[in-house]
Amino acid sequence: KLTLRHGICKESCLGMSSFSFALCQFYDFEAADRIGRLSVLLLEKCKAEEYRSYIYLLYYGNVRCWNVHVEQSLEKLLHGYHVGMQTGTIENAMNNASCFVMSSFVCGQNLVELKREIDWFRKKMIEYKRTIAHVGSVILTLGVFVSNMLISNDCPSLIGGQNIEIKRFLEQATEKNDTIAICHAYMVGCIEAYIFGEYELALNMIMKRQEA
């Protein structure tokens, strides 16, 4: 409203990217993508580098994937991580990293390479004390999953296998009522259970995610 009433400023790109993300909640993905692209254009026009990590997270991590294959957003998500670290917006940087590794997994990246990237991001999250917040949930659970796939165990290692690290993570997330972190853990657990043919367990993970 302020932008429409008074004109464009640096913060306008933030408002537009948030509006773009909100439109996805109403399944208007075409309009969401159009507004999201406008937010990126405004970002460049206004040279609002301090907002780049946040806008990339919303648009490339949460909006564009409804209209374009996630592989086309990988480079932007990684750039969003680096810019966030450079500008001190650590939370946004780590969220970009989470979107990047999950999208890389979905795109079929080599698991050895993916494990190396996950380990590197996890070190950064520990360094910046972002291991408990939901920003680290995807990297933690996906890291355990990829490790299990690489050593070719015969059973799931996440929730179904009662992995100690995941159990502790879920307990802490539950204490903090961090539903996003809980959903991420069950989402990755569902994928792993399905791959190992544990279909009832996968269904249970879906139900737990919905309950969260």
Side-chain angles (χ1 to χ4, degrees):
K1 286 184 178 180
L2 289 173
T3 294
L4 292 173
R5 187 176 301 168
H6 301 289
I8 292 171
C9 64
K10 271 191 174 184
E11 285 68 28
S12 297
C13 54
L14 285 176
M16 295 190 75
S17 62
S18 296
F19 181 47
S20 170
F21 177 71
L23 285 172
C24 290
Q25 316 308 308
F26 299 97
Y27 305 102
D28 194 348
F29 302 124
E30 185 177 342
D33 188 70
R34 186 166 62 252
I35 299 298
R37 282 187 281 112
L38 285 174
S39 72
V40 174
L41 288 173
L42 277 179
L43 168 70
E44 303 298 345
K45 183 177 180 63
C46 297
K47 296 181 172 58
E49 195 67 14
E50 64 271 32
Y51 301 136
R52 185 178 297 276
S53 185
Y54 177 78
I55 291 170
Y56 274 23
L57 169 64
L58 288 187
Y59 179 57
Y60 293 108
N62 295 280
V63 176
R64 198 180 188 215
C65 56
W66 292 104
N67 296 279
V68 178
H69 196 285
V70 292
E71 186 175 14
Q72 296 187 32
S73 298
L74 289 176
E75 185 178 335
K76 296 295 186 181
L77 289 169
L78 187 57
H79 185 50
Y81 164 78
H82 288 300
V83 171
M85 297 299 287
Q86 292 166 4
T87 57
T89 53
I90 308 301
E91 193 96 354
N92 293 330
M94 296 304 176
N95 269 306
N96 273 284
S98 294
C99 288
F100 173 76
V101 295
M102 178 55 80
S103 297
S104 296
F105 168 69
V106 170
C107 290
Q109 182 178 353
N110 179 281
L111 290 182
V112 174
E113 296 176 3
L114 182 59
K115 178 66 165 57
R116 191 179 304 120
E117 290 177 342
I118 288 172
D119 288 344
W120 190 83
F121 283 126
R122 282 200 67 190
K123 283 177 62 178
K124 289 297 179 182
M125 286 185 172
I126 292 171
E127 181 181 345
Y128 286 90
K129 298 182 172 66
R130 291 299 194 279
T131 54
I132 304 304
H134 68 262
V135 295
S137 58
V138 169
I139 289 181
L140 172 62
T141 52
L142 193 60
V144 173
F145 164 67
V146 170
S147 296
N148 190 47
M149 292 294 290
L150 286 172
I151 60 177
S152 301
N153 280 343
D154 294 328
C155 64
S157 63
L158 293 175
I159 299 97
Q162 294 299 300
N163 177 275
I164 295 175
E165 190 174 15
I166 297 299
K167 277 187 68 177
R168 188 184 307 121
F169 175 80
L170 280 172
E171 288 170 359
Q172 293 171 333
T174 302
E175 288 175 6
K176 294 177 179 294
N177 197 30
D178 191 343
T179 56
I180 296 177
I182 296 169
C183 285
H184 282 160
Y186 285 129
M187 177 180 67
V188 178
C190 172
I191 294 172
E192 184 190 50
Y194 184 84
I195 289 174
F196 281 98
E198 298 285 346
Y199 302 125
E200 288 189 13
L201 178 60
L203 178 60
N204 186 40
M205 296 298 102
I206 292 174
M207 294 175 66
K208 285 182 178 293
R209 183 177 184 272
Q210 290 175 338
E211 290 170 3

